[in-house]
Amino acid sequence: MRFENTKEFAEQLDKEDKLSSYKNEFIFPKVNGKEVIYFTGNSLGLQPRSAKKYVDEVMEDWANLAVEGHFYADKPWWDYHERFSAKLGKVVGGKPSEITVMNTLTVNLHLLMATFYSPTSKRFKIICEEKAFPSDQYMITSQVKFHGFTEEEAVVKIEKRKGEHYFRTEDIVTKIKEVGDECALVLIGGVNYYSGQVLDMKTITAAGHAVGSKVGWDLAHAAGNIELNLHDWEVDFAAWCSYKYMNSGPGNASGCFINEKYHGRTDLSRLEGWWGHNKERRFLMEPEFQPEPDANAWQISNAPILAMAPYLASLEMFENVGMPALIEKRNKIVAYLEFILHEIDKEVDASFEIITPSNQKERGTQLSVFLHGEGKELFNYLMENGVITDWREPNVIRLAPAPFYCSFQDMYEFGQILKAGILKD
Ligand SMILES: *Cc1c(COP(=O)(O)O)cnc(C)c1O
C-alpha cells in the first residue's frame, strides 16, 4: 500500500478501519485539555470504559451478599477464574483446560519453575536471553541459587551478534545444541521488551525439546499483541501479565498456560494450595490434596475478584474483536507509523534508526526507535505535547500504537509533533 503523510490520508485510513469505533471504548488521559496520543500500551494499557461496571458489580455483590457471593453472586467467586480460560485460550492458542489466571507474572514464573525446573547434577542449566527484562534476570538467578548452583555455572545467556539489535534464531538453536543434555530449561521473552522483536517460538521450542529440555515463555509483551499457538507449538508452559496489551489495569492478574501433557500427573513437583484442590470438594476442608484435572491444579489462593473484574471486562472485548482483526489493523498502523517516521526523518534530516525488525513476521505492535543526536529534551517535548511514550537510555523511544485504541490520525499528528520538537532547537 502507498501511504501519504497527510491529514486527509490518515482520516481516510481511519474511515476504512473496521475497529475505529473501539477508540471510544477506552478512557484517554488529557494533556492541555486534549486526549493524548498513547504509545505505551506495551507498558500499561488504557482503561476500557466497561471496566468500572465490572468492578461495581463485584462491589454490589459484596455489599448485598457478603460471603454468599462465593456461590450466589451474578458471577460467583468460587470459580470466577474459570471464566477466563476459554477466552484467553483464543488469545494465546491454548485449550481452555491449559489456561488459568492467578497471581502476577513473576510470581507465576517462579511457581511454574517449581514444576518445570527440577535440576539434577547433570542437567541444571537455564538458557535465557542477554539483557532480559530485569525481573526475569533476578528470577532466574534466584532460582538457580535456590537449587544450590551459581549464576556463572547455571545461567547461559544468548547473545546478539556485535552491532546487531536482535537475536538470530540460528544462534539460539546453536546455543541450545551446545548446552545439550545439560540444559534443563529454556526460558525467554517471546517478544523482546526492548527491541520489540518477536522470536520464532515454534522453532526454539522444538530445539529445546530435541535436547531433552523443558521450554517456557514469558509472554508479557506477546499476549494480546501477536499470534500465538502455544498448544500447537508444544510449549511446556508460559505466563504473561495482563496490564500491558491486555488492558486489565495496573498490577493485575497473570495468565498461565500449562500444556495438557502435564495435567493429572503425580510425578511432578508443584507448590500447592486450596484453590488447586478439586473444586467440588474444596470446602470440605479435607487433609489430602486432590488436584483439579487441568491447569487449575496450579492455583493456590482464592482469587482477587475485585482486581480480576477489569481483566474480564477487557477480555470480553478481545473475544468480540478477535486476534485476527487486531493483528490486521496492527500491521497496517505499525507500517503507517514506520512510514511517517521515515518521512519526518527525511524532512528534518535527522537519523532515526528503527531497531525493531522490519519484517512483519518478526515484530508486533512496538517500534523501538534510536533517535541519534537527540536528547531527553525531545522526549520531554513529546510528553508536554500530549504524546505519551517512553524513553530508554541511551536514546531509544518505544512506540506501541495499540490497534484497539490508536488511530491513523494519531500517527499523522505524532509525526507533526515530532517534527516540531526536533526543529525547535
Ligand atoms: C512487564 C514485564 C514483567 C513484569 O512482571 P510483573 O511480575 O508483572 O511485575 C516481567 N517480564 C517481562 C518480560 C515484562 O515485560
Side-chain angles (χ1 to χ4, degrees):
M1 176 162 208
R2 275 186 59 91
F3 290 130
E4 289 171 30
N5 183 20
T6 64
K7 194 168 186 329
E8 295 69 36
F9 189 83
E11 272 169 11
Q12 186 56 34
L13 289 179
D14 281 328
K15 272 197 202 121
E16 291 161 13
D17 171 18
K18 291 190 221 71
L19 303 189
S20 62
S21 65
Y22 277 91
K23 198 177 184 47
N24 299 325
E25 304 294 324
F26 289 87
I27 302 174
F28 286 73
K30 288 184 178 160
V31 169
N32 307 328
K34 197 167 165 280
E35 287 187 354
V36 298
I37 298 171
Y38 197 72
F39 279 120
T40 42
N42 56 350
S43 192
L44 184 75
L46 290 180
Q47 183 181 133
R49 286 195 190 279
S50 56
K52 194 163 183 302
K53 179 172 144 269
Y54 277 62
V55 175
D56 287 346
E57 275 171 16
V58 179
M59 292 299 281
E60 297 242 321
D61 284 335
W62 178 22
N64 297 330
L65 298 165
V67 72
E68 299 279 273
H70 278 297
F71 297 104
Y72 302 110
D74 182 37
K75 300 182 179 83
W77 306 333
W78 73 300
D79 60 356
Y80 193 88
H81 54 287
E82 293 182 21
R83 294 175 178 273
F84 293 73
S85 302
K87 294 176 179 37
L88 267 175
K90 288 188 205 147
V91 174
V92 300
K95 295 187 180 180
S97 64
E98 294 175 312
I99 310 286
T100 197
V101 171
M102 57 185 188
N103 316 309
T104 43
L105 173 56
T106 311
V107 170
N108 281 343
L109 287 171
H110 273 301
L111 292 172
L112 290 164
M113 285 169 89
T115 298
F116 294 100
Y117 179 60
S118 314
T120 63
S121 58
K122 286 222 172 70
R123 191 186 278 283
F124 59 94
K125 293 189 177 172
I126 301 180
I127 296 184
C128 61
E129 75 275 40
E130 67 169 346
K131 297 192 179 149
F133 190 85
S135 197
D136 297 41
Q137 297 184 42
Y138 310 150
M139 167 185 79
I140 288 171
T141 302
S142 64
Q143 279 277 340
V144 302
K145 283 190 184 160
F146 180 75
H147 288 282
F149 299 96
T150 64
E151 182 179 3
E152 291 68 34
E153 65 190 346
V155 180
V156 178
K157 295 186 178 169
I158 295 153
E159 290 170 11
K160 285 171 249 172
R161 293 188 190 184
K162 219 172 154 52
E164 294 190 356
H165 292 298
Y166 34 95
F167 300 99
R168 296 199 190 196
T169 307
E170 60 198 280
D171 293 352
I172 301 177
V173 170
T174 302
K175 183 65 89 185
I176 292 171
K177 282 189 186 148
E178 225 172 82
V179 178
D181 58 12
E182 288 184 341
C183 187
L185 176 64
V186 177
L187 178 55
I188 306 178
V191 175
N192 186 269
Y193 82 98
Y194 186 80
S195 69
Q197 179 188 11
V198 176
L199 295 190
D200 181 347
M201 288 179 247
K202 184 179 178 191
T203 301
I204 296 165
T205 300
H209 288 162
V211 300
S213 174
K214 297 285 192 290
V215 182
W217 293 96
D218 178 335
L219 300 178
H221 281 259
N225 174 19
I226 62 164
E227 182 184 343
L228 294 164
N229 293 296
L230 300 180
H231 179 83
D232 290 347
W233 297 340
E234 297 181 36
V235 165
D236 296 303
F237 70 95
W240 54 92
C241 51
S242 55
Y243 48 79
K244 292 176 178 168
Y245 291 106
M246 301 216 57
N247 313 319
S248 70
N252 211 334
S254 151
C256 301
F257 167 91
I258 299 154
N259 194 297
E260 66 180 356
K261 67 184 173 203
Y262 301 106
H263 301 175
R265 296 241 310 244
T266 50
D267 59 326
L268 299 172
S269 56
R270 181 173 49 214
L271 298 175
E272 297 171 338
W274 72 321
W275 234 245
H277 189 84
N278 174 350
K279 69 172 178 176
E280 305 298 338
R281 308 185 64 83
R282 188 181 293 148
F283 294 98
L284 299 178
M285 307 299 192
E286 295 162 321
E288 228 168 90
F289 184 72
Q290 241 183 61
E292 282 272 83
D294 51 22
N296 291 319
W298 275 261
Q299 287 273 339
I300 295 185
S301 290
N302 77 99
I305 307 297
L306 272 173
M308 285 166 69
Y311 190 2
L312 193 55
S314 162
L315 199 48
E316 295 196 336
M317 294 171 75
F318 273 88
E319 186 167 49
N320 292 340
V321 174
M323 285 309 294
L326 279 171
I327 289 170
E328 193 188 323
K329 172 164 178 193
R330 179 203 75 192
N331 285 340
K332 197 164 168 183
I333 198 165
V334 173
Y336 191 52
L337 173 62
E338 188 178 33
F339 166 80
I340 298 272
L341 283 164
H342 287 312
E343 289 300 297
I344 301 298
D345 196 14
K346 278 190 257 166
E347 285 179 32
V348 300
D349 200 18
S351 48
F352 302 159
E353 183 188 359
I354 299 177
I355 62 172
T356 307
S358 55
N359 173 356
Q360 242 169 35
K361 284 209 174 84
E362 287 181 87
R363 72 182 187 195
T365 306
Q366 175 180 328
L367 292 182
S368 302
V369 191
F370 236 117
L371 297 171
H372 294 290
E374 297 296 333
K376 192 99 190 258
E377 314 90 76
L378 177 60
F379 166 75
N380 293 337
Y381 181 88
L382 293 174
M383 295 292 279
E384 282 157 17
N385 286 278
V387 177
I388 309 298
T389 173
D390 74 9
W391 180 266
R392 288 280 177 273
E393 293 298 336
N395 46 357
V396 168
I397 55 170
R398 299 186 305 166
L399 305 168
F404 247 130
Y405 48 71
C406 288
S407 69
F408 292 89
Q409 286 172 83
D410 288 342
M411 302 306 107
Y412 170 75
E413 275 174 41
F414 160 68
Q416 296 305 303
I417 296 168
L418 179 67
K419 184 163 112 181
I422 290 172
L423 290 180
K424 134 186 109 52
D425 37 44

